[in-house]
Amino acid sequence: MMSELSELILRRIRDVPDYPRPGVVFKDITPLLADHAAFGAVVDELAGMCEGIDKIVGIEARGFILAAPVAYRAGTGFVPVRKKGKLPAETLERSYDLEYGSAVVEVHRDAFEPGDRVLIVDDVLATGGTARATADLVREAGAEVVGAAVLMELAFLAGRDRLAGLDLRSLVIV
């Protein structure tokens, strides 16, 4: 049985066909973000997964929107993982494949203290490439990846398979 939160999330996510390219159905979370109660319920649920966490990592760009308030609510630090060339200090980087291309993400080399326990937060898990690259960056920077939490998992793209060994929690799986 689907939870009330799952139903609320699904009612507030809009499908946009053929964006950003033909054949892709984009999951638009802006209606969810515009609904104070829905957005707050998502932030509260994700923050509830943060026991024993030192830092929350948010993946550019929509992951920032969720991860920053989750970090605030959970009383942890927030660390952005950004597209290449967007961070001002010395970085570590990883390339990865997307469902419709490839990209590079970076994190500041000094973003973590040795042994920090980290939760990765993002909006959608698709093929898992971005989350895998992010987990690799966090580990390279000397922190421990405790898990990942996403608003929505697109099961048909099998992104979970690329995250074997990582505790993955999805608020909604479609």
Side-chain angles (χ1 to χ4, degrees), residues 45-85:
E45 184 70 18
L46 292 170
M49 299 176 187
C50 295
E51 186 175 332
I53 299 296
D54 300 304
K55 303 259 173 69
I56 304 292
V57 166
I59 302 173
E60 186 169 344
R62 296 183 307 168
F64 291 178
I65 297 168
L66 296 175
V70 167
Y72 174 78
R73 183 86 161 127
T76 69
F78 167 73
V79 175
V81 167
R82 302 217 51 197
K83 295 174 185 165
K84 185 172 177 65

Side-chain angles (χ1 to χ4, degrees), residues 59-60 83 94-98 101-105 129-131 133 162:
I59 302 173
E60 186 169 344
K83 295 174 185 165
R94 278 283 184 283
S95 60
Y96 63 98
D97 293 324
L98 295 159
S102 63
V104 176
V105 288
T130 312
R162 294 185 74 181

Side-chain angles (χ1 to χ4, degrees), residues 100-161:
Y100 44 83
S102 63
V104 176
V105 288
E106 296 180 319
V107 69
H108 279 137
R109 185 174 290 277
D110 62 356
F112 306 100
E113 298 296 320
D116 271 351
R117 295 175 45 83
V118 174
L119 179 70
I120 297 167
V121 173
D122 205 2
D123 63 325
V124 175
L125 176 69
T127 64
T130 312
R132 169 54 55 203
T134 298
D136 291 345
L137 278 176
V138 170
R139 289 182 186 114
E140 184 179 347
E144 175 189 352
V145 179
V146 173
V150 296
L151 174 66
M152 174 180 282
E153 178 180 345
L154 306 179
F156 66 94
L157 291 174
R160 180 176 288 271
D161 296 346

Side-chain angles (χ1 to χ4, degrees), residues 17-25:
D18 298 320
Y19 183 83
R21 66 174 196 144
V24 173
V25 178

Side-chain angles (χ1 to χ4, degrees), residues 3-67:
S3 74
E4 287 183 37
L5 179 59
S6 296
E7 290 177 18
L8 178 62
I9 290 168
L10 290 172
R11 284 194 312 268
R12 299 294 187 275
I13 293 180
R14 169 176 40 210
D15 286 347
V16 180
D18 298 320
Y19 183 83
R21 66 174 196 144
V24 173
V25 178
F26 184 79
K27 298 295 186 182
D28 180 13
I29 68 168
T30 59
L32 181 137
L33 299 174
D35 180 327
H36 176 263
F39 185 38
V42 166
V43 168
D44 289 345
E45 184 70 18
L46 292 170
M49 299 176 187
C50 295
E51 186 175 332
I53 299 296
D54 300 304
K55 303 259 173 69
I56 304 292
V57 166
I59 302 173
E60 186 169 344
R62 296 183 307 168
F64 291 178
I65 297 168
L66 296 175

